[in-house]
Amino acid sequence: MTIKIKALSMVGEEFSARLIIGGVPGPLLTIEQYGDAPEVVEMQAFGGRVNVLDAAIASVTQGSAVARSDGKTTLDLRDLTTSASIPAILSNGQQSLIAATAPALPRGHPSGEHYVLPKDGNNRYVCAPGQRHRKIYFSEAPAALTRAQIAADAGVTEATVTGAWLLTRPQYGGTEATKVHTAVANLIRAHVTANGMPSRSDHWIMERGHDYLGFALTTLMGEDELHPVLVTSFGTGAKPKVRMTSSFLSAPYVVLQDVDTDEEKVSIRYGYCTAFDHVDVGKEIVMADNVAITVHECDFLKAFWLTVNTIATTGTGIQVWNPQGANYISGMYASESEGILVDSCLLDHAGWADGHSFDLLISSPQPPTKFSHNIYFAANVYDVTIRYCLNTRASSCGTQLRAGAHLEGNIFAENGILSNCQSQEAKQQYVNCLDNIGFGGGYKFVKSYPDPGLGGTEGEQAGGFHWTSAQTGALGNILAHNANPDDPAEIAARTYIEQAQVKVGLAPIANDTIVYRRNIPNVNIEGLDTSVLDATTLQKMGGMLMGQPSATVQELVDYMAAQDNKGPKVAQGRRWVQSRFGRIAGAARSTPADLVFRPEVAFEGFRWDNRYNWSTKDLPGTHVADTADLDGHFLRYGTLTAEIAALHSKGGTLDVTSGRLNIGALTDAADMLVRMSGQVWIGDAEHPLSVEATGGALALTGEMSNLDLYAGGQSLVLLGPDCTAESIIISGQRARVGWDGSGTAALTIGRLEFRRGVRITAGGLNDAYQARINSLTYKHIGKTVTGSVSGFTARVAGVERNDDRGGKISIWLSDVEGIPQVGETFAVSPRRNTDGTDTPVLVQINSVGAFGISPLQRFRSGLIGTGLAEPTVSPTANINEIVLPSGLTPGQPYDLTGAGVVLGDLGDLPPGVVATGGKLVYTP
């Protein structure tokens, strides 16, 4: 194309330009400026992801740019929904244009948001006692106290010994020595779980060596994330055996620990914040319509059938095992769920039994099929993390994950497909795979009948890592030894070839997987000693763990099953393999380090618990004297119990959602979110700290010089011995802010603000999703809702069920503006569909309670010592300004400070506020 200029005299004067295309004249143009046009630096980025650009960017018009200390820029485009051209200014003033693609997957990365509590020295979750708590030791043993024995001891009639009567008398069942019979424990359980009763944080402790199949677990409900119901065991012998199956709401805020489940499938539906901790699963866990379910240090060794459930008949009249129907079984199955964490588990042999018939005959145990897997999560299961597991000998796939996942540090062995993870129909989440090890194949052949549904049912036999989504990230993974090189017979038998051993989609972000001796050419082994690789087998890894030259797969599984904690053993085996394949050092770091957050663009780029996001390629807290530098980034802390000496923020944000982080000191101003089950404990902080807490706990243990706090939801905030706060906002009736423990404390507040809360009862508007309102309302905690009629606004603070089927719930609201009305609706977190769309979930208000506020107070948090001692601390509060909400009940007194809080210097008190009885009280 040529442009001919007719006339040109000065800046601003019009001239005509003509495009020489068929003689058609062009439009009039105006000169605005003479000189060379400034060069625009063009860059590219992925929408829907965290990017790292090799330039120092000062500002962008979309997304979030972080100027890093290494001169690069982290560009966070996770919120970008379409392709875009993003103007930017570099730090030298130069203009830039960033061409951002549309997100490859609409659901983004697995969030890393899970239900995890701090761990004790035995690697068990710590369940703090809440406001309504007692211990109930019970047993099937003859020595356990019966109802008649308790009545005789108390000098009352047997009819007097009810659940309500027993609840207030811990001398019966409060210790091992006073254990009660299961029938007595059931009296208490029936009372505390009756419709309309408040949630509790009781510890139900069963004596080992007995079965408790008649003790209903699914009716239990804890107080909140940190104060769940605990179901556990005491004594010696085999773990107690329990049954947990329900078609309705299942055990929210409940932790099962050190128990066995029976041969019935564990079934949980419409629940949230349920954890299985050191549980031997007797058959299978089936999860549907749940949020935040955790499976930690559990064994899955019996997920198969010995007798047939569904029979198929061949065209020649032979009765055989139907590969599907009621015979279908996996170690874990999930659908319509979010936030599942599978951590440090042993999964073996799901979907088939030894001694099966090659001909699928029903006279023999279950044969293998392609339909049963160690883990099977459907295409509507999001935000999944599976890590540190030994996953072996599945009928078909070690993992069959349809909606993406974060797979980290697992050992897969002898599965038909070692691990399969995809984003089905390109509508789900990314597949992020790091530090996984794979050995062997399935090689479990059965007869293929020509009849429909009975042909080719055995599936693949030598599949490797099938991690197929858009922009898969795969780093540090090793896939080796289709057959044991020390076993000539196995080598001769395993000649089956699958050419694509590592499937990572058409355009992976990264893939450096090592492939060695998989019946195809080796990949990424340059510079490695093959004699060492030949001796790095599953069998020798097992031998290393067991202290012997080698181990069979069965010996390895038996050894792992006998270990109290599997995760550390899996990590030891994985590290041994990775070090011999040149991927990591042989031993973990044993000296302190200064770790800087460096988002790894191959993965999500925001998880604290992903070692690839840190400069040292291990995690802060590997040594207690480590320091962590956020370097201006957003990080999500979760799933860990860790301690560091210091935190550098540099303008970053720390989002604490689960686990516990102990920080010795803050070295600069910090911005934090604390929610879900996250806990952060901070020592000295001479720099400003801004915190929004809607769940979990913030505990200040040293001097705090400048705190800006919002406490809402069902958060706990311990202000420590010496706190100066610019602003404290306490919102709603569930948040608790103040002190626990002993000694003295001082608080100086510039501005103390209270915001209204209210408890409503509600049900689902759409019957199809009625029970699901429990889990999806829980997911909405901390988020805003708006009334459909009154237009009221509020944030969801907490959720409790009102009946054992979960169709009616109590919802606690905070930050309430306006007045909710009976009959109106509001939307909570939507149901996420497999086609990428969302289905709105509406909650309808049935009743509205009294408005209230939560005072500045002493309270038993459950987090100090045993958690059972009432606080004796003597805090003094100096308050310059108090801000009160409108809309509280006229004439009704509201405590602004609790009993035992000493009133120090007070500024001008608002109308209606007086100091009386040692407390500040507001009467509207």
Side-chain angles (χ1 to χ4, degrees):
M1 180 179 71
T2 303
I3 299 177
K4 290 188 175 181
I5 309 292
K6 262 188 171 181
L8 180 59
S9 57
M10 59 181 293
V11 173
E13 182 171 332
E14 289 187 348
F15 64 92
S16 63
R18 186 157 54 91
L19 301 179
I20 310 303
I21 301 177
V24 180
L28 290 176
L29 303 177
T30 302
I31 302 173
E32 295 182 350
Q33 183 177 348
Y34 284 111
D36 294 331
E39 181 183 358
V40 176
V41 178
E42 295 182 349
M43 291 183 280
Q44 295 181 331
F46 292 112
R49 301 184 68 100
V50 172
N51 300 265
V52 175
L53 304 180
D54 195 13
I57 297 177
S59 65
V60 291
T61 58
Q62 285 182 269
S64 173
V66 175
R68 299 165 25 147
S69 56
D70 61 359
K72 298 180 181 181
T73 298
T74 298
L75 180 62
D76 188 344
L77 297 179
R78 286 180 296 141
D79 293 333
L80 192 68
T81 58
T82 62
S83 60
S85 294
I86 303 174
I89 303 297
L90 304 185
S91 60
N92 62 5
Q94 196 170 9
Q95 295 182 11
S96 176
L97 190 63
I98 303 169
T101 62
L105 293 172
R107 302 295 188 191
H109 289 277
S111 67
E113 297 182 8
H114 300 293
Y115 180 48
V116 176
L117 296 168
K119 299 172 187 174
D120 64 15
N122 294 317
N123 199 28
R124 265 68 174 176
Y125 289 150
V126 177
C127 303
Q131 300 302 295
R132 295 173 294 278
H133 168 84
R134 67 157 289 188
K135 290 181 172 64
I136 302 101
Y137 289 84
F138 62 104
S139 176
E140 288 286 301
L145 294 174
T146 66
R147 191 177 186 184
Q149 290 172 321
I150 292 171
D153 180 77
V156 299
T157 65
E158 190 169 337
T160 302
V161 182
T162 63
W165 186 90
L166 288 161
L167 185 64
T168 60
R169 290 166 173 81
Q171 63 266 38
Y172 304 115
T175 64
E176 293 183 25
T178 61
K179 62 191 177 191
V180 298
H181 192 272
T182 305
V184 176
N186 264 323
L187 292 175
I188 304 175
R189 182 203 54 76
H191 170 68
V192 300
T193 61
N195 289 350
M197 291 294 287
S199 57
R200 299 179 56 86
S201 57
D202 299 314
H203 292 182
W204 300 87
I205 311 171
M206 311 171 182
E207 186 166 22
R208 286 174 174 251
H210 305 280
D211 293 351
Y212 300 86
L213 306 185
F215 185 77
L217 299 177
T218 54
T219 59
L220 300 173
M221 177 174 181
E223 292 183 33
D224 55 42
E225 294 95 336
L226 304 187
H227 308 94
V229 167
L230 173 64
V231 178
T232 187
S233 59
F234 74 97
T236 58
K239 292 180 180 179
K241 189 170 289 188
V242 301
R243 177 171 294 164
M244 186 176 186
T245 180
S246 174
S247 297
F248 297 98
L249 181 64
S250 302
Y253 300 137
V254 171
V255 174
L256 274 69
Q257 188 176 89
D258 287 308
V259 298
D260 285 358
T261 66
D262 72 337
E263 289 74 20
E264 294 290 325
K265 293 182 179 181
V266 174
S267 175
I268 54 173
R269 298 198 70 178
Y270 310 120
Y272 50 93
C273 294
T274 302
F276 299 84
D277 183 19
H278 290 80
V279 173
D280 293 340
V281 178
K283 186 64 71 176
E284 177 185 24
I285 292 181
V286 178
M287 298 169 276
D289 305 288
N290 296 287
V291 170
I293 307 298
T294 292
V295 187
H296 173 244
E297 288 285 356
C298 295
D299 289 350
F300 295 79
L301 303 175
K302 304 170 187 174
F304 49 77
W305 303 109
L306 296 178
T307 57
V308 68
N309 297 301
T310 305
I311 297 174
T313 303
T314 70
T316 57
I318 302 173
Q319 288 190 318
V320 297
W321 281 75
N322 189 318
Q324 299 187 73
N327 296 328
Y328 168 83
I329 188 171
S330 292
M332 267 181 277
Y333 175 82
S335 63
E336 293 269 8
S337 296
E338 305 177 34
I340 296 177
L341 170 64
V342 183
D343 185 0
S344 303
C345 292
L346 171 62
L347 304 109
D348 180 64
H349 225 291
W352 69 288
D354 291 329
H356 64 272
S357 164
F358 173 81
D359 297 316
L360 315 181
L361 300 179
I362 62 173
S363 57
S364 299
Q366 183 178 20
T369 77
K370 64 183 177 182
F371 300 106
S372 292
H373 319 284
N374 278 345
I375 300 175
Y376 185 10
F377 291 169
N380 48 18
V381 179
Y382 303 105
D383 300 322
V384 170
T385 297
I386 300 175
R387 67 181 189 188
Y388 314 150
C389 295
L390 178 61
N391 184 318
T392 58
R393 300 190 297 186
S395 174
S396 184
C397 300
T399 62
Q400 177 70 291
L401 310 173
R402 300 292 195 186
H406 178 100
L407 296 176
E408 178 180 359
N410 302 286
I411 298 175
F412 299 102
E414 302 294 292
N415 304 314
I417 298 176
L418 292 176
S419 173
N420 188 48
C421 184
Q422 58 189 274
S423 187
Q424 188 167 300
E425 301 174 4
K427 300 293 186 181
Q428 281 70 42
Q429 293 183 311
Y430 292 108
V431 175
N432 296 327
C433 303
L434 46 151
D435 296 335
N436 299 285
I437 308 297
F439 288 115
Y443 295 95
K444 297 179 285 291
F445 297 102
V446 294
K447 186 172 182 177
S448 179
Y449 290 91
D451 306 274
L454 295 178
T457 61
E458 65 194 19
E460 293 193 49
Q461 296 299 318
F465 294 152
H466 294 187
W467 297 329
T468 52
S469 76
Q471 299 179 355
T472 293
L475 294 176
N477 305 288
I478 299 168
L479 181 58
H481 299 300
N482 182 62
N484 180 5
D486 298 323
D487 186 342
E490 186 172 280
I491 293 173
R494 295 189 172 189
T495 57
Y496 178 86
I497 297 175
E498 185 198 354
Q499 293 294 337
Q501 281 290 299
V502 180
K503 298 179 181 179
V504 289
L506 297 177
I509 290 288
N511 175 31
D512 68 355
T513 304
I514 289 176
V515 179
Y516 185 67
R517 294 192 67 165
R518 297 291 301 180
N519 290 345
I520 63 171
N522 299 325
V523 180
N524 292 328
I525 66 164
E526 294 78 7
L528 300 178
D529 186 341
T530 56
S531 65
V532 173
L533 306 189
D534 287 341
T536 308
T537 65
L538 174 68
Q539 292 74 18
K540 290 188 176 178
M541 183 201 76
M544 179 275 299
L545 293 173
M546 298 171 65
Q548 59 192 44
S550 184
T552 66
V553 178
Q554 186 63 55
E555 288 173 336
L556 174 61
V557 170
D558 291 343
Y559 170 79
M560 293 295 288
Q563 303 305 302
D564 186 49
N565 291 299
K566 281 76 177 170
K569 290 294 182 180
V570 172
Q572 182 183 356
R574 172 187 54 78
R575 179 172 286 275
W576 181 80
V577 174
Q578 284 186 298
S579 65
R580 293 169 66 88
F581 273 85
R583 281 291 163 90
I584 60 171
R589 176 169 53 85
S590 59
T591 57
D594 298 324
L595 293 87
V596 181
F597 191 73
R598 293 280 183 259
E600 173 51 67
V601 297
F603 304 127
E604 82 302 321
F606 57 79
R607 289 178 66 152
W608 178 297
D609 62 355
N610 181 349
R611 75 178 185 92
Y612 284 90
N613 286 327
W614 294 96
S615 57
T616 58
K617 295 299 182 282
D618 59 7
L619 296 179
T622 300
H623 193 284
V624 295
D626 285 348
T627 63
D629 184 351
L630 307 188
D631 201 24
H633 293 90
F634 170 88
L635 277 77
R636 178 164 295 141
Y637 178 92
T639 75
L640 305 171
T641 299
E643 180 177 355
I644 59 174
L647 178 73
H648 312 306
S649 183
K650 295 181 182 175
T653 299
L654 184 63
D655 180 24
V656 182
T657 59
S658 68
R660 174 168 165 167
L661 176 62
N662 292 353
I663 302 171
L666 301 178
T667 62
D668 62 355
D671 186 8
M672 296 185 185
L673 306 172
V674 183
R675 55 196 184 92
M676 298 181 67
S677 59
Q679 295 188 43
V680 58
W681 294 61
I682 302 173
D684 292 328
E686 298 179 358
H687 303 274
L689 171 63
S690 177
V691 179
E692 179 181 288
T694 57
L698 166 68
L700 308 176
T701 60
E703 181 180 352
M704 170 59 62
S705 63
N706 188 347
L707 175 66
D708 183 0
L709 171 69
Y710 170 93
Q714 44 199 19
S715 59
L716 300 181
V717 178
L718 300 178
L719 295 172
D722 188 358
C723 178
T724 298
E726 179 179 335
S727 172
I728 292 179
I729 298 171
I730 307 175
S731 183
Q733 299 157 294
R734 298 276 283 187
R736 285 176 287 164
V737 178
W739 302 267
D740 193 3
S742 58
T744 60
L747 171 65
T748 300
I749 311 176
R751 185 175 186 269
L752 175 60
E753 179 180 351
F754 298 91
R755 296 183 182 174
R756 281 192 313 164
V758 69
R759 174 180 174 268
I760 65 171
T761 62
L765 184 65
N766 184 335
D767 288 341
Y769 308 123
Q770 184 174 23
R772 187 103 205 260
I773 64 172
N774 299 275
S775 58
L776 293 176
T777 303
Y778 167 77
K779 188 182 175 186
H780 210 74
I781 288 177
K783 300 175 183 177
T784 299
V785 296
T786 302
S788 61
V789 176
S790 69
F792 87 89
T793 61
R795 299 173 79 176
V796 175
V799 57
E800 295 178 291
R801 69 181 181 200
N802 284 350
D803 60 54
D804 58 7
R805 295 168 80 90
K808 297 178 181 178
I809 60 174
S810 291
I811 300 174
W812 299 85
L813 300 175
S814 59
D815 278 19
V816 181
E817 295 290 340
I819 300 177
Q821 297 181 10
V822 172
E824 71 175 319
T825 64
F826 58 84
V828 294
S829 292
R831 179 173 176 258
R832 298 197 284 181
N833 303 315
T834 57
D835 62 1
T837 63
D838 291 340
T839 298
V841 175
L842 297 179
V843 174
Q844 187 170 46
I845 299 175
N846 296 331
S847 68
V848 180
F851 290 96
I853 58 176
S854 181
L856 188 66
Q857 60 185 309
R858 298 188 309 178
F859 63 96
R860 182 173 59 80
S861 67
L863 306 180
I864 305 297
T866 64
L868 297 173
E870 294 296 330
T872 60
V873 59
S874 179
T876 299
N878 306 289
I879 307 170
N880 182 57
E881 179 187 5
I882 296 176
V883 178
L884 298 166
S886 61
L888 296 176
T889 304
Q892 169 72 41
Y894 297 89
D895 288 348
L896 304 183
T897 61
V901 177
V902 178
L903 301 178
D905 295 333
L906 302 175
D908 294 335
L909 297 178
V913 177
V914 296
T916 178
K919 298 187 292 184
L920 280 177
V921 179
Y922 170 53
T923 304

